[in-house]
Amino acid sequence: KYTAGWWATDAISEEEFVNAIEFLIYAEIIHVSVTPNIEDSQDMPEWVKNTAGWWATDAISEEEFVNAIEFLVKNQIIIVFSDDNVSKEYTTMEEIMLDDSLSSKEQLIEIDRIFPFMSGYRGAAFDGEYVYYSPYYNNHERHAGMLRYDISQDFQNHNAWEPFNLPPKISAMHDGIEIEVNTSGFQGALYKEPFVYYVPYHVDNGYGSVVLRYDTNMQFDNFEAYAYHGLFDVYEDGVVHKNFIYFSPHLDYKNEINTFPLRYDTQKPFGLHTSWEKHSLENNTSYIGAESAMDKIFYAPWNTNTSINSTIAIYDTHGSFTDNSSWELIDIPYDGYTGAAFNGEHVVFVSGWCSFNECDEGHSNFIFLEPNTLEISYLEIPNASFNGIINARGILYPVPYSLDVDPVFLK
């Protein structure tokens, strides 16, 4: 229903609206009393857009809207897939993608139905009552399907889960021109009372990304509870330390490896430019995740484009964020780290290179860094394939992530 409203107000394209309706019919979420099996589509009549807007604002009933959808199907304006091409016995995603009898859209929907883990989230935050999942990517595109879980209820209880769809893109003014900004595809969530901050990641407009913020004092399905601010670069996860939120720099807004750490002062207005600080380290390293220890922020190095080594970045929070003297860079002979956590003695950097690349010698080493002396030691974990690490009461749990080998769970 929100999608209908977004299309009526030009927040999404006609193609995106039609794709959504096609999926709802195909998945039998809404039912139309017509025979599907249509190959081509026609232009959308203008009245359909008006009807979508009326339904979104409750000016017409759901039944009246479905009647309009039936008209679109009968007149071959919306494509509905043939039952002959669905619900076959597939055992792998590769079988689906190699099935020439399916269109590309049918292949993606079949993957959604049979292997739903492919539609997902990347990271989460906890406010003491709810777990907030960070919307990342589904089989079709970056998405903005907000989701939270009430931990006071049974995990299997449908009512314990609350979804809410935000528009995946919005229009905004930039240097006097109107641009399209992605408000979807985030990489992590961070909680600083009373707000949940979703880490900006998706950039394809050449201008930048946005931070999404949710006010936990308001209803989850209230548009007014959400606010955006940008434009920023590409970040993956981060850490909250005292009154600041630190975003881990992954790429710049052009999707190139440039290191621009970002932080937000939560005691200042969210939409005020001076509430945000960005600094260029000029070391051409991409980072994934960060951890705080002994009033320092430690950034986990993923990759570099200047040498075979990468660099751990450390910020001393007692100094100015934009002063190079507040930063220390430690070269290490490895890369491919996907997160960091502090166990009370060491900051532990977890290795994830083997999850995505050929596992060369040294790429399975975890790093143990003493936060005061900055002394480093290594521990080899054969074929280490992890993506993130979490601290639970002083015990660290790396998160397994591998496409080729069985997952290994460590503590």
Side-chain angles (χ1 to χ4, degrees):
K1 193 169 187 178
Y2 290 120
T3 304
W6 295 333
W7 178 49
T9 58
D10 294 319
I12 63 173
S13 67
E14 177 181 304
E15 180 182 4
E16 290 171 304
F17 170 74
V18 172
N19 287 343
I21 297 300
E22 288 174 0
F23 175 80
L24 293 176
I25 297 173
Y26 176 76
E28 298 183 348
I29 296 171
I30 62 175
H31 300 269
V32 294
S33 57
V34 293
T35 302
N37 191 14
I38 298 167
E39 298 299 329
D40 300 315
S41 63
Q42 301 176 359
D43 293 334
M44 186 75 70
E46 184 64 28
W47 65 263
V48 177
K49 194 171 189 178
N50 295 332
T51 303
W54 295 333
W55 179 50
T57 58
D58 295 320
I60 63 173
S61 67
E62 183 172 313
E63 181 181 0
E64 291 174 297
F65 178 71
V66 172
N67 289 339
I69 297 302
E70 287 189 346
F71 173 87
L72 299 178
V73 175
K74 289 177 181 178
N75 289 273
Q76 302 188 11
I77 295 170
I78 282 184
I79 302 170
V80 187
F81 305 117
S82 169
D83 290 336
D84 295 336
N85 287 345
V86 301
S87 299
K88 294 181 181 179
E89 293 296 328
Y90 297 104
T91 57
T92 67
M93 286 179 284
E94 184 178 14
E95 289 181 18
I96 298 174
M97 299 308 294
L98 294 177
D99 189 342
D100 294 335
S101 69
L102 301 177
S103 69
S104 59
K105 187 177 297 181
E106 288 172 322
Q107 290 171 342
L108 294 174
I109 292 177
E110 279 295 275
I111 291 175
D112 269 336
R113 289 162 63 95
I114 301 174
F115 304 103
F117 64 87
M118 287 296 289
S119 297
Y121 295 77
R122 191 75 175 266
F126 180 55
D127 69 349
E129 297 182 63
Y130 295 92
V131 176
Y132 297 86
Y133 294 83
S134 176
Y136 175 56
Y137 188 80
N138 58 31
N139 289 326
H140 312 289
E141 60 187 352
R142 312 286 179 179
H143 72 94
M146 314 305 292
L147 181 68
R148 73 176 182 180
Y149 163 63
D150 182 350
I151 67 165
S152 68
Q153 300 191 53
D154 183 82
F155 193 71
Q156 301 295 336
N157 183 353
H158 177 77
N159 294 324
W161 297 84
E162 189 174 359
F164 180 58
N165 286 323
L166 289 174
K169 296 181 180 181
I170 60 173
S171 296
M173 297 302 297
H174 178 69
D175 291 339
I177 61 172
E178 186 177 55
I179 64 171
E180 194 172 65
V181 178
N182 293 300
T183 52
S184 55
F186 300 93
Q187 282 268 29
L190 301 165
Y191 176 69
K192 174 64 176 175
E193 188 176 6
F195 299 104
V196 178
Y197 298 84
Y198 296 87
V199 180
Y201 181 81
H202 185 204
V203 175
D204 66 1
N205 58 6
Y207 295 100
S209 63
V210 296
V211 175
L212 170 64
R213 187 179 77 170
Y214 164 66
D215 185 346
T216 62
N217 291 321
M218 302 176 69
Q219 292 295 321
F220 193 62
D221 60 354
N222 183 353
F223 275 112
E224 299 299 321
Y226 297 86
Y228 304 100
H229 187 66
L231 299 162
F232 298 117
D233 296 293
V234 175
Y235 296 85
E236 285 207 38
D237 215 343
V239 67
V240 178
H241 179 69
K242 296 184 178 179
N243 294 320
F244 290 91
I245 296 178
Y246 295 86
F247 298 90
S248 182
H250 191 61
L251 301 169
D252 64 16
Y253 70 94
K254 297 180 180 179
N255 286 312
E256 298 175 353
I257 296 180
N258 285 301
T259 310
F260 297 114
L262 175 72
R263 79 170 182 178
Y264 165 60
D265 185 345
T266 61
Q267 294 185 316
K268 295 181 179 180
F270 181 68
L272 189 64
H273 178 71
T274 54
S275 303
W276 300 78
E277 292 179 282
K278 187 173 80 168
H279 181 56
S280 175
L281 291 182
E282 299 180 355
N283 71 334
N284 299 107
T285 298
S286 173
Y287 295 86
I288 299 179
E291 177 62 302
S292 63
M294 306 300 182
D295 286 336
K296 298 175 182 177
I297 309 299
F298 298 81
Y299 296 86
W302 166 246
N303 197 12
T304 181
N305 63 2
T306 57
S307 69
I308 61 173
N309 298 334
S310 59
T311 303
I312 297 173
I314 305 170
Y315 166 62
D316 184 344
T317 62
H318 296 113
S320 169
F321 189 73
T322 57
D323 188 339
N324 283 336
S325 65
S326 303
W327 293 83
E328 188 159 357
L329 303 177
I330 301 178
D331 289 333
I332 57 174
Y334 313 113
D335 50 14
Y337 293 90
T338 57
F342 182 53
N343 65 1
E345 296 182 7
H346 295 91
V347 178
V348 181
F349 297 82
V350 62
S351 179
W353 185 262
C354 300
S355 302
F356 308 93
N357 304 278
E358 184 177 347
C359 201
D360 300 326
E361 182 179 356
H363 278 128
S364 290
N365 285 318
F366 280 32
I367 295 176
F368 289 76
L369 187 152
E370 207 289 322
N372 287 316
T373 65
L374 302 184
E375 181 180 346
I376 290 179
S377 58
Y378 298 94
L379 175 65
E380 183 177 2
I381 305 294
N383 296 312
S385 302
F386 300 92
N387 195 350
I389 183 171
I390 189 169
N391 184 333
R393 298 179 179 174
I395 298 177
L396 305 186
Y397 298 86
V399 181
Y401 187 99
S402 177
L403 300 178
D404 300 319
V405 299
D406 292 334
V408 177
F409 291 86
L410 302 176
K411 75 171 183 176

